[in-house]
Amino acid sequence: MLSMLKNVVYNLTHKPATRKYPFEKREPFEGTRGHIENDIEKCILCGICQRVCPSNCIEVDRKNGTWKFEPFACIVCGACVDACPTKSLVMLKEYRPIAHEKYVIVQKKEMKTSSEKEEKEGI
């Protein structure tokens, strides 16, 4: 009985051991691997990320200017992020939001023709 009373007094006078989750979120640890994102504007569609990916979840099509990513096939190893020469791929610490069905992320890069570049530069 005395040990239980000691425990009750201790719990009343100290901070709780847990946090109120939806309202207080913990900052991710350093080096946490959450999910991969691509900045398509920086991407040069070289295909190195596709070649180094062990799970083959990245597909680069230079002809059509598309970059496809299957997040449910990704093992979040970070090999593509390390190999990217333009650093357009980044590993974010936050986890991908909950999904109820599988999906594929497709990003299309706007390819500019030489005539469009000349018009923009005013040549």
Side-chain angles (χ1 to χ4, degrees):
M1 177 89 165
L2 186 60
S3 65
M4 187 172 77
L5 183 62
K6 193 168 126 180
N7 232 358
V8 170
V9 171
Y10 179 83
N11 288 337
L12 289 172
T13 59
H14 288 80
K15 283 176 49 177
T18 59
R19 63 183 68 81
K20 298 174 182 163
Y21 168 65
F23 308 109
E24 297 176 23
K25 292 186 180 177
R26 178 178 48 89
E27 206 47 47
F29 296 116
E30 191 62 36
T32 300
R33 294 183 284 177
H35 72 278
I36 296 168
E37 280 197 4
N38 185 20
D39 182 5
I40 195 69
E41 296 304 318
K42 286 173 143 181
C43 185
I44 57 174
L45 299 173
C46 62
I48 293 175
C49 56
Q50 178 182 353
R51 289 191 290 275
V52 300
C53 181
S55 62
N56 294 324
C57 64
I58 299 174
E59 183 181 326
V60 179
D61 186 2
R62 291 183 97 176
K63 184 177 179 185
N64 295 328
T66 57
W67 185 86
K68 292 183 186 177
F69 175 64
E70 295 179 43
F72 294 96
C74 182
I75 59 172
V76 196
C77 64
C80 56
V81 175
D82 295 337
C84 184
T86 61
K87 302 300 179 204
S88 67
L89 285 173
V90 292
M91 179 78 69
L92 300 179
K93 290 182 179 182
E94 297 82 31
Y95 296 111
R96 196 165 292 284
I98 296 171
H100 298 288
E101 41 187 64
K102 290 184 178 183
Y103 57 89
V104 175
I105 298 171
V106 179
Q107 294 178 322
K108 185 158 179 67
K109 184 159 181 150
E110 296 297 322
M111 303 301 244
K112 295 180 180 167
T113 61
S114 58
S115 61
E116 287 177 348
K117 286 181 185 176
E118 290 173 2
E119 288 176 14
K120 187 175 182 180
E121 294 172 359
I123 298 176

